[in-house]
Amino acid sequence: MDFTILDKAGVRQTEFAKLVGVSKIAVHKWTKGGGVDKRHSDKISKMLTAIGGATFGGYLPIAPGTPNAERIKATQTALVKYLRKA
């Protein structure tokens, strides 16, 4: 899986972890080349695809300076907007 889209989308590893329901340590390992557990692979693949689509569709990255407490909500909103248009 290609996790480089997270950087392009401005999605932090901790935010991605919350979106897919895993630990931030797991995401860190995956981005460094560690294998993804099969029970999570489908969800992760779909989320990466949605993040890529939202990025190339102009919904991500979220505005610079968005407070940390609001980043996950803003990312979720961007993904919903993209998926509704797709």
Side-chain angles (χ1 to χ4, degrees):
M1 287 184 217
D2 184 8
F3 290 92
T4 60
I5 193 63
L6 296 179
D7 287 333
K8 293 175 187 167
V11 176
R12 297 175 181 162
Q13 291 179 7
T14 54
E15 295 161 355
F16 186 73
K18 288 178 183 178
L19 289 169
V20 295
V22 298
S23 72
K24 62 183 177 182
I25 294 169
V27 175
H28 177 74
K29 287 179 183 177
W30 301 336
T31 61
K32 299 298 180 197
V36 174
D37 189 321
K38 289 182 181 186
R39 62 188 165 148
H40 299 298
S41 62
D42 190 45
K43 181 193 278 188
I44 292 164
S45 179
K46 287 178 182 178
M47 185 61 72
L48 288 171
T49 299
I51 289 171
T55 301
F56 296 113
Y59 298 100
L60 288 172
I62 59 174
T66 302
N68 287 342
E70 296 175 21
R71 289 183 58 84
I72 190 70
K73 178 80 170 158
T75 301
Q76 289 171 328
T77 300
L79 290 170
V80 168
K81 287 180 181 179
Y82 163 71
L83 292 170
R84 286 186 176 157
K85 298 262 182 183

